[in-house]
Amino acid sequence: MTPFAGVRVLVVEDEGAIAMLIEEMLEDLGCEIVASVARLAAAQDRAGTAQIDLAILDVNLAGERVFPVAQILRSRGIAFLFSTGYGASGVPAEFAGYPVLHKPFSEGELQHKIGLALKGPVTGAV
């Protein structure tokens, strides 16, 4: 079953093992991994130029917050979701309408959050 066949994804995750796990799950869901980056500067570059449909953003990249990347993606109209061990409280109010995937997560949870992200942010979220 490949519910997201052909969806092009940018993975932004600084833990190598977690990035590989996410990539494997995405491939199982039929997604195409366009790039997988671990640092903020590389993530900002890819977010601004890559031809992607979706990004999965780890909130904390080696001590730096990923929110500048989220701003770039939002300005380009590209769907994204956050991946974090902090929970939704680690996401600023300006991104409250975007899905948050709580680590650790299952492939089913990832699939659900991708579906939400591709529908667009929830307006009026607090």
Side-chain angles (χ1 to χ4, degrees), residues 18 26 30 41 57 82 85 95 99-100 104:
I18 295 173
L26 289 169
L57 307 176
F82 295 105
F95 296 113
V100 177

Side-chain angles (χ1 to χ4, degrees), residues 8 55 109:
R8 298 165 299 176
E109 292 166 320

